Amino acid sequence: MKAFIFYIFLRFYRLFLRINVVEEYPIKSINSPIIYAFWHESILFLPFVYLGNNLSVLISTHKDGRLASDVIKYFKMGTIGGSVNRNPKKAFLEMLRLIKNQACDIGITPDGPKGPRRKAKLGVLELAYFSGYPIVPIAFEPKSAWRLNSWDRFTIPKPFSSITFIYKKPIYVKTKEEIKSKVAELESKLNNEEY
């Protein structure tokens, strides 16, 4: 019940926001499943800007994560339970199975579930390498927002403000050596910086 109420609230709150989507690269030209990466602070309104039709999001299995998982399901999106701290191998294999066997897009917060803020872990890059599919970073720029006093400075856009989601150029990880070397590129694109 709590998840449904939160879902309805998000739908209502979205009416008071101007949400812009910018594609630096035409997403529909990517003829494969996509691994979407976005900072943990920006997750609240991502269901409104997802450009595909088959997405599963990696969500931690702790209490807040379970609520988020239940809310996401109302948006007709799937979830994968796990994180770097809880069932990491199981979660990774499930993501690999979904993306390779069911052509399912995957959503990951590379700094989640507990930070450090805006510091990408290697899991999303490892998934790109082992699956052979690209990462599309989604940068997030709110015009005016409240930031919670949490590790991720969780962002709540203020009513009647605008927020922009920017789909950056894809990142391909073709060798094991690139897994670590592409962390800086991923972070830079998620921060909407030139790389």
Side-chain angles (χ1 to χ4, degrees), residues 1-8 10 57 59-60 62-80:
M1 186 57 142
K2 187 187 291 187
F4 180 70
I5 292 169
F6 196 73
Y7 164 75
I8 294 298
L10 280 180
V57 182
I59 300 281
S60 174
H62 64 69
K63 185 179 177 182
D64 290 343
R66 287 195 298 272
L67 174 61
S69 178
D70 291 341
V71 173
I72 285 172
K73 287 173 184 173
Y74 283 110
F75 285 99
K76 295 183 171 30
M77 296 177 175
T79 60
I80 302 143

Side-chain angles (χ1 to χ4, degrees), residues 15-190:
L15 298 174
F16 297 93
L17 298 171
R18 294 187 301 278
I19 298 180
N20 307 307
V21 177
V22 176
E23 290 182 65
E24 287 190 355
Y25 186 92
I27 299 304
K28 290 187 178 177
S29 71
I30 301 174
N31 296 315
S32 74
I34 295 171
I35 302 161
Y36 291 100
F38 41 90
W39 291 137
H40 197 274
E41 67 198 66
S42 70
I43 197 170
L44 196 60
F45 291 94
L46 275 161
F48 297 111
V49 298
Y50 170 57
L51 299 176
N53 55 21
N54 183 18
L55 178 71
S56 284
V57 182
L58 179 65
I59 300 281
S60 174
T61 54
H62 64 69
K63 185 179 177 182
D64 290 343
R66 287 195 298 272
L67 174 61
S69 178
D70 291 341
V71 173
I72 285 172
K73 287 173 184 173
Y74 283 110
F75 285 99
K76 295 183 171 30
M77 296 177 175
T79 60
I80 302 143
S83 68
V84 293
N85 301 318
R86 300 187 181 199
N87 301 319
K89 185 176 180 181
K90 180 181 177 185
F92 187 85
L93 292 174
E94 177 65 6
M95 287 189 292
L96 202 56
R97 184 188 70 80
L98 285 170
I99 199 169
K100 289 186 79 70
N101 297 346
Q102 297 185 21
C104 181
D105 294 335
I106 302 293
I108 300 179
T109 57
D111 60 342
K114 293 185 178 180
R117 178 179 184 256
R118 294 196 173 194
K119 292 294 180 184
K121 300 179 181 72
L122 297 181
V124 64
L125 295 154
E126 290 170 343
L127 183 63
Y129 169 68
F130 283 104
S131 69
Y133 297 132
I135 300 166
V136 171
I138 306 176
F140 171 69
E141 292 195 341
K143 200 79 171 176
S144 180
W146 294 292
R147 289 196 178 268
L148 301 186
N149 188 25
S150 56
W151 70 264
D152 61 350
R153 305 282 319 281
F154 195 82
T155 305
I156 303 174
K158 293 180 180 179
F160 308 107
S161 67
S162 65
I163 50 178
T164 301
F165 290 86
I166 305 156
Y167 282 74
K168 309 295 283 187
K169 292 179 181 177
I171 298 171
Y172 290 87
V173 182
K174 296 181 178 177
T175 67
K176 279 189 176 181
E177 291 69 33
E178 288 181 321
I179 291 173
K180 287 186 178 179
S181 67
K182 296 223 170 187
V183 171
E185 179 182 355
L186 175 61
E187 291 178 349
S188 179
K189 287 184 174 181
L190 284 171

